[in-house]
Amino acid sequence: MVAPTIVPRADHRISRRDIDPDALKVLYRLHQSGHAGYLVGGGVRDLLLGVRPKDFDVGTDAHPGQIKKLFRNCWIIGRRFRLAHVRFGPKTIEVATFRRQMPPEPQSPEAEAAPHAGDNTFGTPEEDAFRRDFTVNALFYDIATFSVIDYVGGLNDLESRVIRSIGDPNVRFLEDPVRMLRAVVLAARVDFTIDPPVLAAIDRHREAITLAAPARLMEETFKILRSGASERIFRSLAEVGLLEHIAPPILTAPAQFWSTLERLDAYRRRFASVPDTLTNPILVGSVLVPLGALASRPRNVAETGKPDRPRGITLGLLPFPRRDVESLRNLLALQRRLLDLGAPPRALRSLLHRHILPEAISWLEIHGDHPDAVEHWRAVMAAGQTQQSVEGEQQPSGDRPGRRRRRRRRGGRRRHPRPAAE
């Protein structure tokens, strides 16, 4: 047993005003039902740094089935790791039962596909803290006492602004190579230094990043692009030698690539949290367009005799999703029309029916140098939405589009009644 460091409410800066209200609802209900309710991980770290967290994750001693009974809006997900997702509209609060660290098992395709009993071996808050990756990510905020709990020295490392591994980084990175990526991303995002043993382990095992699932690497890449520090993060990944294994073309990227990321970061930093306008196609385009990776357009029907299915693009280990690449092509195709403000009003109004228009305007705002055009189209969209709203209120309910009118049944007897049965 390790005696934790407990910091009472009066001695730390976390306020419930800064915690997502839906996350507070989850914490309070767990506590009122006799379970532990802790805010865990990066959310606690960011709140202590005075940064708005991008996620509010919850840890508890309640098992997944018990959590589901407490929340009607709860879904249990995961085959290997059973997690509870409590949904509030489009928002999800992830609730995980405390687990204990298990010895790594030999992996095989069959083992990877099957649930692991050890993955769902539940434990105590202390055991859960020691199975996390870095000390600054293993801090807990207890809703029962409003105190911060530290089992691993994370508060000292937070004050020293250093990323330190929990346990031997050589072992932890071979257990999960994505931890090397996360160490570099976290240090670059919050401007921390990386502990020398962690840097040495990355240098020793960096090639192991090729063993990570491409889908996980793509997910981490989207997080990087939404962080507001993507330019700095990609440069840091290049410095430690991870980028040459993840996405080698970026190592020889032109200056335009880095300036495009700077524009993306500047736009993201205008908002307290990730805005809805920062969609996946825009993130994909911020990487692929300056690298010239969209040069090959899918062949058309005239060339092949049949329509091509939209294709994705792979950059090193990163599989950019097909649907996002196709949406990107469509929003780029609209850019010239968005700049042609002298076009006939009818042609301009026709663009309002294009579902990709909001993303196309956002791309123009981030990567174009035409604020007048952006302002014009924002006004056109707002006016169009207002007009649709007015027309919808004025139109009789029976004639509103989208609602089928019921046909009246014709009254009276049939003109040609059926002959009576003999």
Side-chain angles (χ1 to χ4, degrees):
M1 292 289 292
V2 175
T5 299
I6 300 177
V7 182
R9 173 63 189 93
D11 297 332
H12 65 74
R13 67 184 299 170
I14 296 180
S15 168
R16 280 168 287 170
R17 290 192 301 269
D18 300 324
I19 300 175
D20 182 275
D22 292 321
L24 281 177
K25 290 178 186 176
V26 174
L27 291 168
Y28 280 133
R29 185 169 298 180
L30 287 168
H31 174 57
Q32 291 163 1
S33 302
H35 298 291
Y38 289 179
L39 197 65
V40 300
V44 181
R45 177 201 68 224
D46 288 345
L47 287 171
L48 289 170
L49 290 173
V51 177
R52 170 74 179 179
K54 63 180 186 300
D55 297 306
F56 291 88
D57 296 333
V58 173
T60 181
D61 57 2
H63 290 194
Q66 295 173 313
I67 300 169
K68 186 170 178 60
K69 289 181 180 178
L70 291 175
F71 300 95
R72 289 185 299 176
N73 52 330
C74 175
W75 282 260
I76 305 300
I77 67 159
R79 299 184 63 188
R80 291 185 55 186
F81 298 93
R82 304 293 286 170
L83 297 171
H85 277 185
V86 184
R87 296 177 185 170
F88 298 89
K91 184 197 310 174
T92 296
I93 303 298
E94 185 174 281
V95 185
T97 307
F98 299 132
R99 291 185 175 89
R100 69 170 180 260
Q101 184 71 27
M102 299 298 292
E105 301 174 4
Q107 294 296 303
S108 67
E110 295 78 12
E112 184 70 22
H116 287 208
D119 291 334
N120 289 303
T121 302
F122 305 124
T124 64
E126 177 188 346
E127 291 170 322
D128 189 85
F130 276 95
R131 65 177 290 278
R132 294 177 180 271
D133 49 9
F134 308 110
T135 59
V136 295
N137 288 342
L139 300 170
F140 300 148
Y141 172 80
D142 183 4
I143 197 63
T145 61
F146 313 127
S147 59
V148 173
I149 303 173
D150 176 16
Y151 288 96
V152 296
L155 288 170
N156 289 334
D157 290 338
L158 202 65
E159 185 175 356
S160 302
R161 304 182 71 83
V162 61
I163 303 300
R164 194 186 314 277
S165 174
I166 298 174
D168 184 350
N170 294 285
V171 175
R172 304 308 301 276
F173 292 164
L174 290 178
E175 288 175 357
D176 183 0
V178 174
R179 287 174 179 152
M180 293 186 288
L181 174 67
R182 289 177 175 166
V184 178
V185 170
L186 178 57
R189 187 170 75 84
V190 297
D191 197 21
F192 278 24
T193 59
I194 300 178
D195 190 36
V198 172
L199 278 175
I202 292 174
D203 185 59
R204 187 177 298 115
H205 303 295
R206 59 191 177 186
E207 193 171 350
I209 196 68
T210 60
L211 302 176
R216 285 189 68 198
L217 293 176
M218 194 67 245
E219 181 183 355
E220 295 295 328
T221 300
F222 278 133
K223 291 179 181 178
I224 291 170
L225 294 170
R226 292 190 186 98
S227 68
S230 62
E231 188 263 346
R232 185 166 66 244
I233 290 171
F234 277 118
R235 289 192 186 276
S236 296
L237 290 171
E239 290 174 5
V240 301
L242 284 174
L243 199 56
E244 67 181 88
H245 297 291
I246 297 173
I250 295 180
L251 293 176
T252 57
Q256 182 190 355
F257 173 79
W258 302 106
S259 63
T260 299
L261 291 186
E262 288 174 358
R263 285 174 174 261
L264 180 68
D265 293 339
Y267 179 80
R268 166 62 184 87
R269 289 195 295 266
R270 287 165 45 188
F271 305 89
S273 58
V274 180
D276 294 337
T277 52
L278 211 54
T279 60
N280 279 4
I282 291 175
L283 301 178
V284 167
S286 299
V287 175
L288 298 184
V289 170
L291 291 177
L294 287 180
S296 58
R297 174 79 185 178
R299 294 170 295 173
N300 57 34
V301 179
E303 295 170 327
T304 64
K306 58 182 180 180
D308 259 9
R309 292 184 63 191
R311 292 174 290 177
I313 293 177
T314 299
L315 187 70
L317 299 177
L318 303 178
F320 288 86
R322 182 179 63 201
R323 64 183 180 276
D324 295 333
V325 172
E326 187 63 15
S327 294
L328 170 63
R329 293 186 189 277
N330 291 334
L331 72 86
L332 291 176
L334 285 184
Q335 295 303 302
R336 187 171 62 179
R337 295 184 66 183
L338 293 181
L339 295 177
D340 186 12
L341 302 183
R346 183 176 180 180
L348 296 179
R349 286 195 299 270
S350 69
L351 291 181
L352 290 175
H353 301 288
R354 300 289 296 272
H355 73 278
I356 202 71
L357 179 61
E359 288 176 281
I361 296 173
S362 294
W363 176 272
L364 183 63
E365 182 176 7
I366 297 169
H367 297 303
D369 291 307
H370 301 277
D372 53 338
V374 172
E375 184 177 354
H376 168 81
W377 281 106
R378 297 286 187 209
V380 169
M381 283 192 64
Q385 292 168 355
T386 301
Q387 182 65 24
Q388 289 177 3
S389 176
V390 170
E391 290 175 355
E393 292 175 0
Q394 294 177 347
Q395 198 170 20
S397 60
D399 296 331
R400 288 180 187 170
R403 296 187 60 177
R404 298 181 61 183
R405 298 182 61 183
R406 296 179 60 184
R407 296 181 60 186
R408 287 184 182 175
R409 297 184 59 184
R410 295 199 306 184
R413 299 177 60 182
R414 294 175 180 269
R415 292 183 179 179
H416 304 287
R418 295 175 181 173
E422 297 180 357

